[in-house]
Amino acid sequence: MNNFQYKNPTKILFGKGEIANLSKEIPQNAKVLLLYGGGSIKKNGIYEQVTAALDGVEVVPFGGIPANPEYEVLMEALGVIKSQEIDFLLAVGGGSVIDGTKFLAAAALYEGDTPWELLTAGKPVAKGMPFGAVLTLPATGSEMNSNSVITRKETQEKLAMSGAGIFPVFSVLDPQVIRSIPERQLANGIADAFTHVLEQYMTYPIGALLQDRMAESVLQTLLEVAPAILKDPTDYQAASNFMWSCTMALNGLLPLGVPTDWAVHAMGHELTAMYGIDHARTLAIMAPSHYRFNFETKKEKLAQFAERVWGITQGNVDEKAHAAIDKTEAFFHELGIATKLSQYTDDFQGTAETIEKRFTDRGWLGLGEHQSLKPSDVAQIVTMAY
Amino acid sequence: MNNFQYKNPTKILFGKGEIANLSKEIPQNAKVLLLYGGGSIKKNGIYEQVTAALDGVEVVPFGGIPANPEYEVLMEALGVIKSQEIDFLLAVGGGSVIDGTKFLAAAALYEGDTPWELLTAGKPVAKGMPFGAVLTLPATGSEMNSNSVITRKETQEKLAMSGAGIFPVFSVLDPQVIRSIPERQLANGIADAFTHVLEQYMTYPIGALLQDRMAESVLQTLLEVAPAILKDPTDYQAASNFMWSCTMALNGLLPLGVPTDWAVHAMGHELTAMYGIDHARTLAIMAPSHYRFNFETKKEKLAQFAERVWGITQGNVDEKAHAAIDKTEAFFHELGIATKLSQYTDDFQGTAETIEKRFTDRGWLGLGEHQSLKPSDVAQIVTMAY
């Protein structure tokens, strides 16, 4: 096990009806910017629940934050924060709205030339204005971590930032929100959380026995509840386990002291930037090819995954490891998620070369847990995923 | 799954050599009270490591905090905090020293008549002065939670307090400290952490699938590393997994949204108060009898424990559940821990009646996850443990 440091100060309010407790968590006399997305919260009753809970609090609404939170829209919101002298941000939405809010929290206090530097500098974000979240779509784990991914349409870039300054002060997780989520988004959420765990687990053994078992716990739970969630999103037991699994998948506990990969995300982000494919679906496209390409360096953990998560007891290490990749790909299919790029666009020729060039231009010369994947390797993996 | 709230702001510094990073975590210009126990840290080099790391910081040492931190000794330390105008407390020790430091943190800011009221009032402790910890003995989890148990010799009482005001600001966990821990204490630590998990898990199914699996993960990891730890405490992989498992066993993640029991601790505390038996050993004495007495209400989880942790696949629910209790008791024996009160004292007759009277006097009328165990039930369980 490697050395590690860990601190996660986010307060979680979890369960049915918890949105009603919102105002207790907002600082007294704060002027609140309420950030949301495309307006589904106005149809499913969550906007009403939130504003009812905030009765007596001065609230400025700001809607329209798109999936893959877009820099230019966020810069408009930043203008509102400054002109309206906002004290507290409240994200009501999924990962995109929360990620966008994290960017705003940091941007509001940023003293450099342009807040885009927060994304290109690669430095931990030390300070941000306080914000909370009401999660409406379990998937990204953004509600209990300090990561944010922002998209810039004009340059087709999708970049990440993180740091101790952008943890939510609190997040409200009411599993009942799942009732009104379309099946496609639920499937995406399951695939997203599942892949988050894989990125932190599917590397090489380092003797972090508890972290391995915890990662397997989240994977097993997601597999267990996935069919129930898709069949009936009003199933509260399935919904609550799904929601908490998504949070635990990416709240910083699983990667403690272990190598992590994240190449699937790095490659997937390019597919979203290029083709607008749903984030989770880009992960499902890239993961199987990534694991097949890197089979030799990952096969021990793949075989452990096969045994403990998929219950595969037959075969040698190689056979188990291959079976685990096949099972994972089949699981994505069961979620209704296609795992080949050509199933999403006819215009896929040249994708590998484009991504190779982008990674080279950005100086991303060593992806993966061994920092060994060159842009040319990435091109091969992307080609395998056509 | 029940609703829950969760927040744990303690920063963890984990790994070999992390003690050297101590001074970065202490506020600038703070006057530090360094609290420790019987002086073993002066023999094993930890005191030297800590004082070297604190070079340049004003430190007032206070040694002699006994196992089962004693109220009268702590009141002496409280006098030092006040007379010396201490700004920050640093616990260097195991659970007893850290629990004692938590009491001091709260007592230093307590405004009532006597700080003993913190333990008798049963109210959450909202504020405490800041403190950190260097853990020298993995077991209690005190390094990453807000619980404290204090003993008062004159009244033979052992009482608990907790609350958001007494989380450590940071805790340093260097698994190398395990090298110098006597085998008896290592065995106690394993049994203590194992029982902490059982108290939060061995109740009844409530559909918290991830919490169940996480509890099982800690139990499995402790079982896996126990023989290695006892055979060779310099085995860093075993030591690091043991240390992190003890922390994760009681940092508040496992009981989220689930019923918890804690009757084993309530009964065990009395055995320590009456006979001075090591805390962990009192748990090993009480747990098997407690599970046998409450077999009908716990058998579903006992059977799940049998299947997932002990790998017992044969038999019906009752048979698996009984086998799991037997396995647990045998595990304590393998650790060198006797599980009958009569193996610790010849003077055990009357213990059940004494504890029954104490629980009655305190108004503890409904212990366990169903709040159903009366003092007379407790007397039966204690008698079963003779």
Side-chain angles (χ1 to χ4, degrees):
Chain A
M1 194 189 309
N2 297 329
N3 284 18
F4 64 80
Q5 295 196 355
Y6 176 72
K7 176 175 173 155
N8 188 325
T10 301
K11 178 176 179 180
I12 298 294
L13 293 84
F14 189 100
K16 53 181 87 167
E18 289 291 339
I19 292 173
N21 292 320
L22 200 49
S23 69
K24 293 177 206 159
E25 309 299 328
I26 308 252
Q28 277 205 322
N29 303 318
K31 189 170 178 182
V32 175
L33 188 67
L34 193 167
L35 296 130
Y36 60 99
S40 61
I41 61 168
K42 294 210 172 165
K43 288 174 209 139
N44 59 24
I46 295 172
Y47 188 84
E48 245 174 28
Q49 283 182 59
V50 167
T51 48
L54 292 177
D55 187 35
V57 178
E58 191 175 357
V59 174
V60 178
F62 186 99
I65 296 179
N68 306 306
E70 164 55 33
Y71 183 65
E72 286 188 20
V73 178
L74 295 171
M75 291 304 281
E76 282 175 46
L78 184 61
V80 176
I81 291 171
K82 295 193 169 172
S83 66
Q84 302 254 2
E85 298 181 353
I86 296 292
D87 305 302
F88 194 90
L89 309 179
L90 181 64
V92 181
S96 294
V97 175
I98 303 174
D99 278 16
T101 302
K102 287 175 179 173
F103 170 79
L104 289 171
L109 302 188
Y110 186 66
E111 286 160 0
D113 288 340
T114 154
W116 186 249
E117 293 165 2
L118 287 161
L119 291 147
T120 54
K123 274 191 277 187
V125 182
K127 57 181 182 175
M129 62 180 290
F131 69 98
V134 176
L135 183 65
T136 62
L137 177 62
T140 73
S142 189
E143 64 278 8
M144 198 184 179
N145 66 39
S146 62
N147 308 327
S148 169
V149 178
I150 303 296
T151 297
R152 193 169 191 173
K153 228 184 253 169
E154 53 170 326
T155 55
Q156 281 198 347
E157 283 174 291
K158 188 169 178 177
L159 298 178
M161 58 191 266
S162 69
I166 50 173
F167 278 101
V169 176
F170 67 83
S171 285
V172 182
L173 281 64
D174 181 343
Q176 295 178 122
V177 301
I178 288 165
R179 290 184 299 205
S180 56
I181 299 173
E183 185 173 331
R184 174 190 179 89
Q185 303 242 45
L186 287 174
N188 283 353
I190 296 165
D192 196 20
F194 199 84
T195 315
H196 287 160
V197 182
L198 290 179
E199 294 272 39
Q200 302 166 87
Y201 168 78
M202 200 53 70
T203 57
Y204 53 88
I206 197 165
L209 308 179
L210 180 56
Q211 289 88 322
D212 273 7
R213 291 199 184 274
M214 284 179 49
E216 291 152 4
S217 294
V218 181
L219 295 168
Q220 286 169 306
T221 306
L222 286 168
L223 288 176
E224 199 169 345
V225 300
I229 284 285
L230 294 179
K231 191 176 160 211
D232 177 11
T234 71
D235 176 338
Y236 186 78
Q237 178 172 316
S240 56
N241 281 290
F242 167 45
M243 197 168 211
W244 188 231
S245 293
C246 290
T247 303
M248 288 290 291
L250 205 56
N251 67 356
L253 285 166
L254 302 186
L256 296 177
V258 307
T260 58
D261 183 344
W262 294 108
V264 171
H265 272 69
M267 295 183 288
H269 285 174
E270 299 304 316
L271 299 183
T272 299
M274 291 171 74
Y275 302 110
I277 302 170
D278 295 353
H279 169 64
R281 286 164 200 253
T282 68
L283 306 178
I285 294 167
M286 294 313 313
S289 296
H290 180 61
Y291 297 142
R292 290 188 180 113
F293 183 85
N294 295 286
F295 186 81
E296 284 303 316
T297 60
K298 288 179 183 287
K299 67 183 184 185
E300 285 181 73
K301 288 298 283 283
L302 280 164
Q304 180 178 316
F305 174 51
E307 288 168 17
R308 294 191 185 170
V309 176
W310 295 109
I312 296 166
T313 53
Q314 301 296 310
N316 60 27
V317 167
D318 282 44
E319 287 161 346
K320 287 178 183 168
H322 277 301
I325 301 172
D326 295 343
K327 284 274 193 187
T328 303
E329 192 161 14
F331 174 58
F332 291 136
H333 295 162
E334 283 161 29
L335 295 174
I337 295 178
T339 52
K340 290 294 177 189
L341 181 60
S342 54
Q343 294 170 291
Y344 293 86
T345 173
D346 293 333
D347 194 26
F348 58 85
Q349 296 298 346
T351 307
E353 292 77 7
T354 303
I355 295 177
E356 179 177 359
K357 182 169 184 318
R358 287 183 178 191
F359 281 22
T360 305
D361 291 348
R362 278 190 220 128
W364 288 3
L365 298 175
L367 283 195
E369 68 272 19
H370 292 288
Q371 290 90 49
S372 61
L373 292 176
K374 296 177 194 61
S376 56
D377 297 317
V378 168
Q380 285 190 61
I381 298 168
V382 174
T383 305
M384 286 168 68
Y386 281 175
Chain B
M1 194 189 309
N2 298 328
N3 284 18
F4 64 80
Q5 295 196 355
Y6 177 72
K7 175 175 174 154
N8 188 326
T10 300
K11 178 176 180 180
I12 297 294
L13 293 85
F14 189 100
K16 54 182 86 167
E18 288 290 339
I19 292 173
N21 292 320
L22 201 48
S23 69
K24 292 176 207 159
E25 309 300 327
I26 309 253
Q28 278 205 325
N29 303 320
K31 189 170 178 182
V32 175
L33 188 67
L34 193 167
L35 295 130
Y36 59 98
S40 62
I41 62 167
K42 293 212 172 164
K43 288 175 210 139
N44 59 24
I46 295 171
Y47 187 83
E48 244 175 30
Q49 282 181 59
V50 168
T51 48
L54 293 177
D55 188 35
V57 178
E58 191 176 357
V59 175
V60 178
F62 186 98
I65 296 177
N68 305 305
E70 165 56 31
Y71 183 65
E72 286 188 20
V73 177
L74 294 171
M75 290 305 281
E76 282 175 47
L78 184 60
V80 176
I81 291 170
K82 295 193 169 173
S83 66
Q84 301 255 3
E85 297 181 354
I86 296 293
D87 305 301
F88 193 90
L89 308 179
L90 181 64
V92 181
S96 294
V97 175
I98 302 173
D99 278 16
T101 302
K102 287 175 177 172
F103 170 78
L104 289 171
L109 302 188
Y110 186 67
E111 286 160 1
D113 288 339
T114 152
W116 186 248
E117 293 166 2
L118 287 161
L119 292 147
T120 54
K123 275 191 276 187
V125 181
K127 58 181 182 175
M129 64 180 289
F131 69 97
V134 176
L135 182 64
T136 62
L137 176 63
T140 73
S142 189
E143 64 278 7
M144 198 184 178
N145 67 38
S146 62
N147 308 326
S148 168
V149 178
I150 303 296
T151 297
R152 193 169 189 175
K153 227 183 256 169
E154 53 169 328
T155 55
Q156 281 199 346
E157 283 175 291
K158 187 169 178 177
L159 298 176
M161 59 191 265
S162 69
I166 50 172
F167 277 102
V169 176
F170 67 84
S171 285
V172 182
L173 281 63
D174 181 343
Q176 295 178 120
V177 301
I178 288 164
R179 288 185 300 206
S180 56
I181 299 172
E183 185 172 332
R184 175 190 180 89
Q185 303 243 43
L186 288 173
N188 283 353
I190 296 164
D192 196 20
F194 198 84
T195 315
H196 287 161
V197 182
L198 290 180
E199 295 270 39
Q200 302 166 89
Y201 168 79
M202 198 53 70
T203 57
Y204 54 88
I206 196 165
L209 309 179
L210 181 55
Q211 289 88 322
D212 273 8
R213 290 199 185 274
M214 283 179 50
E216 291 151 3
S217 293
V218 181
L219 295 169
Q220 286 168 307
T221 305
L222 286 167
L223 287 176
E224 198 169 345
V225 300
I229 285 285
L230 294 179
K231 191 176 159 210
D232 177 13
T234 69
D235 176 337
Y236 185 79
Q237 177 172 318
S240 56
N241 281 289
F242 166 45
M243 197 168 210
W244 189 230
S245 293
C246 290
T247 303
M248 289 290 291
L250 204 56
N251 67 357
L253 285 166
L254 302 186
L256 297 176
V258 307
T260 59
D261 182 345
W262 294 109
V264 172
H265 273 67
M267 296 183 287
H269 284 173
E270 299 304 317
L271 300 183
T272 299
M274 291 171 72
Y275 302 111
I277 301 169
D278 295 353
H279 169 63
R281 286 165 199 253
T282 68
L283 306 178
I285 294 168
M286 295 313 312
S289 295
H290 180 61
Y291 297 142
R292 290 188 180 114
F293 184 85
N294 295 286
F295 187 79
E296 283 304 316
T297 60
K298 289 178 183 285
K299 69 183 184 186
E300 285 181 72
K301 287 299 282 285
L302 280 163
Q304 179 179 316
F305 174 51
E307 287 168 17
R308 294 192 185 169
V309 176
W310 296 109
I312 296 166
T313 53
Q314 300 297 310
N316 60 26
V317 167
D318 282 45
E319 287 161 345
K320 286 177 183 167
H322 277 300
I325 301 173
D326 295 344
K327 283 274 194 187
T328 303
E329 191 161 14
F331 174 57
F332 291 137
H333 295 162
E334 283 161 29
L335 296 174
I337 294 178
T339 53
K340 290 294 177 188
L341 181 59
S342 53
Q343 294 170 293
Y344 292 87
T345 173
D346 293 334
D347 195 27
F348 58 87
Q349 296 298 345
T351 306
E353 291 78 6
T354 303
I355 295 177
E356 180 177 358
K357 181 171 183 318
R358 287 183 177 189
F359 281 22
T360 305
D361 292 348
R362 277 189 222 130
W364 288 5
L365 299 175
L367 284 197
E369 67 272 19
H370 292 289
Q371 291 90 49
S372 61
L373 293 176
K374 296 177 193 64
S376 56
D377 297 317
V378 167
Q380 285 190 61
I381 299 169
V382 174
T383 305
M384 284 168 70
Y386 280 178

